[in-house]
Amino acid sequence: MVDVGNNIVSVKTRCFHCGEQCDDGAIVNHERTFCCVGCSTVFELLQENNLCTYYDLDSHPGISFKKASAARFEYLEDESVVKALISFSDGVISKLTFVLPQIHCASCIWLLEHLYKINEGIVGSKINFLKKEIAITYRHADVSLREIVEILTKLGYEPDITLSNLDNDKNVRSENNSAGLRSLYMKVGVAGFAFGNVMIFSAPDYLAKISTDGAILTQSMSTVFAVLSIVIATPVLLYSASEYFKNSWYSLKERTISLDVPVAIGIFFLYARSIFDIVMGYGTGYLDSFTGLVFFLLIGKIFQRKTFDTLSFERNYKSFFPLSVVVRKNKKERTIPVSKLSVGDIVYVRNKELIPADSVLVSDNVRVDYSFVTGESEPVELLHGDSVYAGGRVVGTAAEFAVTKDVSHSYLTQLWNNDVFGKEKKTTLVDISNAFGKYFTIVVTLIAVATALFWLPNVGMALNTFTAVLIVACPCALTLAAPFTLGAAVSILGKNKFYLKNVGVVTDLASVSSVVFDKTGTLTYSGKSDVKFHSESGRVLSDEESQLIYASLQQSTHPLSRQISSNFIYNNFVVNGVYATKIVSTNEIAGEGVEVNFENHLVRVGSADFTNKYSTTQVVKISSTSSVYVSIDNECIGYYTIGNIYRNGIRKVIDDLKNSLKLFVISGDNDSERNTLSEYFGESHLAFQQSPEDKLQFVKQLQSNGEFVAMVGDGINDAGALKQSNIGIALTENTSSFTPACDAILAAEQIEGLPTYIDFARYSITVLKIAFWVSVVYNAIGLYLACTGALTPMFAALFMPLSSWSVVGIAYGLMRMREKSISAR
Amino acid sequence: MEVIFMLIGFSVLIAVFFLGYFLWAVKSGQFEDRYTPSVRMLFDDGTIDDSKGK
């Protein structure tokens, strides 16, 4: 029974634990108020264990239990699951890492690092706040994995365990990534150390050349400095610069010439020539330039590696699917890992849970929301014996299903068997730099050979100029310009909540020629709907009528009824009144509507046929699929339509993009919005009722017509299209929630900025081109000096860093200049 | 002037020592998480918590 009007709480107390308002049923415990039993229990648990400092660090640090789901952890007893989750075990002590998305404040860190006080089996725990990770060490004789997860859940920090955690390769990759960064830091450290010291050893030599008396250095000192320089610089070649040699080797093996090749050649000759000069006693060599160059190049690499720790761009369906499922066997319920689900099992799926595999409905009837799989906004009603696809979400009552296919062979998951998912996407940046590297290397080698031939009778001079050309031509300024320009672009866009996977995506974004949008959840708000009441005579509902309709809608479990009634509350419409009559009886007829008998009124809500059947006045049925008709006392008074609400500013986004790009919409939903959309996009650019596979093919088709496609989507149903497109942009309401595999993640509220961001990407490319031409000028000057044999070590020591840093300065400065205009949007 | 050989020797030794220290710091994972330790160091000791909690 609905009870409207009596529950308006005027006293606004905040829960001591989570800070939510205690609307009803507040619990008072130890003179503190809590909003629910969950919060109060956590408080008691913390008090028992002397952990109340939790509340001193931040006010109301707790996690509200109203949002928490009731998960079951029986599957954590399973040997294979435990094995997959644990990262290290020596028989006594085990270590593992969980992602806890709820970590949000200092109190969280404090509490989670004092877990050992709650359970003695836990040896220690350590938080990585930025990654929202907890690393736990425990004795598995004293505490089980399941108990740990249950403690965390009880505290409000339910670990985020998904199928992909159980795949070892994912963990290995993230390990690799952090190991890669570690070794890069170490290489920079070695190069920086060598740079500083070698510079100091070369300084006296340069000074001796400038000063007139020349007596600063004795011969023995010179020798000591030279030997020390070689000793210090050699690890830079062998260790710090090793990546360049390896990469060049790989690219040559694949018969391509990447930009790393000329860099490696330059570095190598710089070093070799220096050693030669020093050993032969010709001079001090270029070791200071050499170490400095490697140092700067590596710093550029660090800059390029700007990543967003908490975001994942590599998710596949496994991250979306639940880890465990309740299986019924011989009338007993058992929770098993989804991976162990086999054909013929009977699974029990509750309200709002996902169906893990293709199956057949065993229960009488159920509603399944396919918006996750197809983008269809309205749930589908299924009857006993109907087949359901994996990824559907059960709405309303729980139901039982008989599994017909393995998880990995289900309708949705099969999408990942498509070839696109096996291939690494190549960005245009790689193509450009490879093409450039190829010509650059060939031209430079030719110049070097020609110069050597020109000087030939003089072998010394020929060798000298040959190496000098290769040294000076090293495209260091250019290799530095790209990471700094594009790295700045990635971090500026990141500040505006547009997160790119890597710097290559910037160049892709700049070359986009058409944009494909998904409809549900991308152009429109998901979960919000535009509810309007229509009536032929144009009558306005009286308060009493509204209340009757609201009360009737509350009796129905149909999703459309729910949407309309939630809109009532949203408008603060009915809540203010108290309704006069009581409900005598209700009768819901599946597929038709609901009939509610009040003390002195009879209300019917449902399909047009349903209300017309009993009514004296008839209502003309309208074509739109999402409509609900209302009759009171056998008189049809009108109908509600439920439409999509488009995101704020989406019109402007489309108008702005239209000028320079082709725009398309592909939707898995029905075509009820065709008229609205064709006004924006044009009739021929729309496609409805597209399956995930259709969407992928649609993008492929565009690409074969020579388009460079950006796909903007939000659901797993767009996963194929996102992967196939040249740049896949996933839209998300909440960056810590799941997004399908993509190249960029855009916060939904920032979609207005999309045209600005594309402009900004194009601007970045212009900046990169300017930097390129500046460095070409520098290289030309250097080449001229090298060809004439006028390149001295001292000149090189000044010229090379100067050219590199002026190019970097120009590029970085131009990028930062534009930063304010993009944020001020 | 010969003393300069000794001084250079010392300076290089000190530099190598710091390089080694840096490499150790990187290897032990100190650059992995650059935020949490800054919060952690502000927490009071466990013994003080106990008296406070009651």
Side-chain angles (χ1 to χ4, degrees):
Chain A
M1 199 37 240
V2 205
D3 188 353
V4 192
N6 300 333
N7 267 343
I8 303 164
V9 180
S10 52
V11 196
K12 283 181 178 161
T13 347
R14 287 191 177 278
C15 173
F16 181 69
H17 178 73
C18 70
E20 286 224 351
Q21 273 183 18
C22 305
D23 291 336
D24 38 33
I27 295 163
V28 179
N29 190 352
H30 287 83
E31 293 161 16
R32 285 165 181 121
T33 325
F34 298 94
C35 66
C36 60
V37 186
C39 289
S40 163
T41 317
V42 176
F43 172 73
E44 269 171 33
L45 180 72
L46 297 184
Q47 204 178 30
E48 268 168 37
N49 293 290
N50 291 325
L51 290 170
C52 278
T53 311
Y54 183 54
Y55 298 104
D56 299 340
L57 295 164
D58 260 293
S59 57
H60 311 303
I63 286 114
S64 167
F65 275 83
K66 288 176 182 167
K67 292 167 199 151
S69 62
R72 302 161 149 232
F73 300 109
E74 277 168 57
Y75 65 93
L76 290 173
E77 308 263 315
D78 192 285
E79 251 338 282
S80 64
V81 173
V82 174
K83 222 173 175 182
L85 288 173
I86 286 177
S87 56
F88 164 85
S89 181
D90 68 353
V92 183
I93 274 176
S94 295
K95 288 181 182 176
L96 57 86
T97 308
F98 283 133
V99 175
L100 308 178
Q102 301 89 340
I103 295 179
H104 64 285
C105 65
S107 282
C108 299
I109 301 175
W110 186 85
L111 176 63
L112 293 169
E113 297 201 338
H114 285 78
L115 283 182
Y116 63 90
K117 288 199 170 184
I118 296 177
N119 190 309
E120 303 216 319
I122 298 173
V123 178
S125 47
K126 213 171 173 190
I127 299 293
N128 185 328
F129 188 80
L130 296 180
K131 289 188 177 170
K132 296 185 192 280
E133 274 179 2
I134 184 169
I136 301 175
T137 313
Y138 68 100
R139 282 187 295 272
H140 50 238
D142 299 336
V143 63
S144 75
L145 181 67
R146 181 181 169 184
E147 282 171 291
I148 292 176
V149 173
E150 278 170 352
I151 289 171
L152 286 171
T153 310
K154 220 191 259 170
L155 293 172
Y157 302 92
E158 189 188 329
D160 178 18
I161 310 171
T162 59
L163 266 182
S164 58
N165 290 84
L166 301 187
D167 273 358
N168 285 324
D169 51 317
K170 190 201 161 194
N171 294 332
V172 169
R173 197 170 39 203
S174 80
E175 277 292 300
N176 273 348
N177 194 26
S178 84
L181 199 59
R182 255 186 220 192
S183 88
L184 190 54
Y185 278 135
M186 285 163 67
K187 283 171 181 169
V188 171
V190 171
F193 160 83
F195 177 45
N197 284 284
V198 172
M199 219 161 45
I200 285 178
F201 296 142
S202 342
D205 202 51
Y206 294 150
L207 287 176
K209 282 193 182 135
I210 295 166
S211 71
T212 40
D213 52 12
I216 303 178
L217 281 182
T218 61
Q219 187 55 44
S220 56
M221 263 186 227
S222 258
T223 318
V224 170
F225 286 155
V227 169
L228 269 175
S229 294
I230 293 176
V231 170
I232 290 171
T234 307
V236 176
L237 181 85
L238 298 179
Y239 177 62
S240 298
S242 58
E243 204 72 8
Y244 287 97
F245 297 112
K246 263 187 225 159
N247 288 345
S248 311
W249 176 245
Y250 289 140
S251 86
L252 287 177
K253 240 165 124 183
E254 284 176 26
R255 298 182 182 278
T256 56
I257 299 177
S258 68
L259 202 52
D260 277 343
V261 175
V263 175
I265 293 175
I267 293 172
F268 177 74
F269 276 100
L270 201 52
Y271 178 80
R273 169 80 182 271
S274 309
I275 302 294
F276 180 77
D277 281 3
I278 292 168
V279 171
M280 301 301 285
Y282 293 153
T284 44
Y286 304 84
L287 286 177
D288 50 342
S289 304
F290 162 71
T291 49
L293 217 57
V294 174
F295 181 56
F296 295 143
L297 283 173
L298 292 177
I299 285 181
K301 272 202 168 174
I302 287 188
F303 203 81
Q304 192 172 9
R305 275 183 88 132
K306 164 87 189 165
T307 50
F308 302 98
D309 274 338
T310 47
L311 299 179
S312 169
F313 295 93
E314 306 290 349
R315 292 204 165 100
N316 64 11
Y317 69 91
K318 289 180 178 169
S319 308
F320 295 84
F321 274 38
L323 192 69
S324 68
V325 63
V326 180
V327 172
R328 282 222 172 134
K329 226 176 228 171
N330 309 327
K331 303 215 166 170
K332 261 198 246 163
E333 275 187 23
R334 221 160 54 84
T335 313
I336 63 161
V338 167
S339 50
K340 292 206 169 166
L341 204 59
S342 53
V343 175
D345 282 351
I346 305 286
V347 292
Y348 181 73
V349 185
R350 279 164 297 203
N351 183 21
K352 295 199 170 158
E353 286 182 344
L354 281 184
I355 299 162
D358 289 358
S359 41
V360 169
L361 183 63
V362 177
S363 309
D364 289 339
N365 63 345
V366 72
R367 283 203 189 86
V368 179
D369 172 9
Y370 277 124
S371 60
F372 192 52
V373 191
T374 61
E376 222 165 312
S377 44
E378 261 177 63
V380 183
E381 186 134 14
L382 296 171
L383 298 173
H384 177 84
D386 283 349
S387 52
V388 288
Y389 296 127
R393 203 179 281 280
V394 171
V395 184
T397 47
E400 287 181 2
F401 301 89
V403 176
T404 51
K405 269 181 188 169
D406 283 345
V407 176
S408 58
H409 288 98
S410 290
Y411 169 71
L412 179 65
T413 46
Q414 249 179 351
L415 186 63
W416 274 264
N417 297 337
N418 192 302
D419 289 344
V420 228
F421 287 95
K423 277 185 284 193
E424 273 285 315
K425 237 190 234 184
K426 228 167 67 180
T427 62
T428 37
L429 184 65
V430 176
D431 290 339
I432 294 171
S433 79
N434 279 351
F436 178 77
K438 189 168 136 195
Y439 292 112
F440 192 90
T441 314
I442 293 169
V443 169
V444 165
T445 319
L446 285 179
I447 294 176
V449 171
T451 321
L453 288 176
F454 174 78
W455 290 100
L456 201 55
N458 181 345
V459 176
M461 205 56 194
L463 258 179
N464 183 359
T465 51
F466 178 74
T467 50
V469 167
L470 291 180
I471 289 166
V472 150
C474 169
C476 303
L478 194 67
T479 40
L480 275 174
F484 276 90
T485 316
L486 302 178
V490 169
S491 86
I492 290 169
L493 288 174
K495 276 186 202 155
N496 289 283
K497 297 193 179 162
F498 187 30
Y499 308 99
L500 305 186
K501 187 172 156 189
N502 57 44
V503 293
V505 180
V506 180
T507 51
D508 289 344
L509 194 60
S511 36
V512 163
S513 69
S514 50
V515 183
V516 180
F517 290 96
D518 167 49
K519 193 196 74 172
T520 317
T522 305
L523 293 176
T524 68
Y525 289 107
S526 54
K528 275 195 214 172
S529 47
D530 180 26
V531 176
K532 281 200 192 99
F533 182 74
H534 306 266
S535 114
E536 277 163 26
S537 51
R539 68 188 275 180
V540 179
L541 292 176
S542 70
D543 276 0
E544 197 200 358
E545 282 168 340
S546 308
Q547 287 160 19
L548 287 173
I549 296 169
Y550 178 73
S552 309
L553 288 168
Q554 290 283 309
Q555 304 305 309
S556 161
T557 51
H558 195 279
L560 285 179
S561 311
R562 293 263 163 241
Q563 277 181 339
I564 300 172
S565 65
S566 71
N567 215 59
F568 265 87
I569 297 166
Y570 184 71
N571 288 333
N572 204 19
F573 184 52
V574 162
V575 187
N576 296 328
V578 179
Y579 49 77
T581 50
K582 268 190 182 159
I583 293 172
V584 178
S585 69
T586 58
N587 179 22
E588 185 166 20
I589 303 148
E592 294 197 21
V594 64
E595 186 182 87
V596 184
N597 261 310
F598 291 86
E599 268 177 349
N600 41 19
H601 292 290
L602 173 67
V603 179
R604 289 197 187 90
V605 183
S607 69
D609 295 339
F610 175 66
T611 53
N612 278 341
K613 204 172 1 177
Y614 306 97
S615 296
T616 47
T617 52
Q618 302 283 302
V619 158
V620 184
K621 205 172 155 186
I622 56 156
S623 61
S624 167
T625 45
S626 307
S627 52
V628 173
Y629 294 77
V630 182
S631 79
I632 297 182
D633 296 336
N634 292 332
E635 187 199 352
C636 273
I637 58 166
Y639 56 89
Y640 286 94
T641 54
I642 294 118
N644 290 313
I645 298 186
Y646 288 89
R647 285 186 189 279
N648 282 337
I650 200 79
R651 173 117 226 180
K652 197 172 172 305
V653 171
I654 292 161
D655 284 342
D656 288 354
L657 291 177
K658 235 185 204 165
N659 297 329
S660 55
L661 304 167
K662 287 183 199 149
L663 303 181
F664 299 89
V665 173
I666 41 174
S667 175
D669 202 1
N670 60 49
D671 63 353
S672 60
E673 296 284 321
R674 186 183 283 274
N675 292 337
T676 327
L677 287 171
S678 62
E679 193 186 315
Y680 289 69
F681 293 90
E683 182 65 40
S684 60
H685 285 187
L686 303 177
F688 294 98
Q689 273 155 340
Q690 301 281 299
S691 74
E693 180 74 28
D694 290 341
K695 289 188 174 189
L696 192 156
Q697 294 303 337
F698 186 93
V699 171
K700 213 172 188 173
Q701 183 63 36
L702 280 178
Q703 284 171 330
S704 65
N705 292 341
E707 297 289 331
F708 200 88
V709 182
M711 170 78 203
V712 187
D714 70 316
I716 200 158
N717 57 321
D718 303 317
L722 286 170
K723 187 81 189 176
Q724 174 67 40
S725 62
N726 300 84
I727 163 170
I729 302 170
L731 206 66
T732 173
E733 300 287 345
N734 174 2
T735 44
S736 68
S737 70
F738 291 124
T739 45
C742 56
D743 303 297
I745 296 175
L746 176 61
E749 76 265 19
Q750 294 289 336
I751 193 169
E752 281 177 81
L754 195 62
T756 323
Y757 301 151
I758 294 179
D759 275 347
F760 184 67
R762 290 181 187 147
Y763 173 77
S764 317
I765 301 305
T766 315
V767 171
L768 196 58
K769 280 182 186 157
I770 294 172
F772 170 77
W773 286 112
V774 172
S775 79
V776 164
V777 170
Y778 272 118
N779 265 340
I781 298 171
L783 269 179
Y784 171 75
L785 293 171
C787 294
T788 52
L791 187 77
T792 63
M794 189 157 69
F795 182 78
L798 287 171
F799 177 77
M800 295 179 80
L802 190 75
S803 69
S804 298
W805 285 106
S806 60
V807 169
V808 166
I810 289 168
Y812 198 71
L814 285 174
M815 293 305 287
R816 287 288 163 193
M817 255 170 57
R818 200 65 188 281
E819 181 181 359
K820 282 205 186 92
S821 73
I822 171 180
S823 310
R825 174 180 50 78
Chain B
M1 260 323 242
E2 269 62 40
V3 74
I4 204 157
F5 292 112
M6 211 172 78
L7 291 176
I8 286 166
F10 280 135
S11 82
V12 169
L13 269 183
I14 290 168
V16 166
F17 169 74
F18 277 109
L19 176 68
Y21 221 64
F22 173 74
L23 294 184
W24 169 80
V26 173
K27 261 193 177 163
S28 67
Q30 291 185 21
F31 292 83
E32 227 84 323
D33 181 0
R34 283 168 288 176
Y35 177 80
T36 322
S38 71
V39 177
R40 195 176 288 137
M41 69 171 289
L42 299 175
F43 297 151
D44 291 328
D45 275 359
T47 46
I48 302 169
D49 298 339
D50 290 358
S51 58
K52 245 192 192 169
K54 282 176 183 165

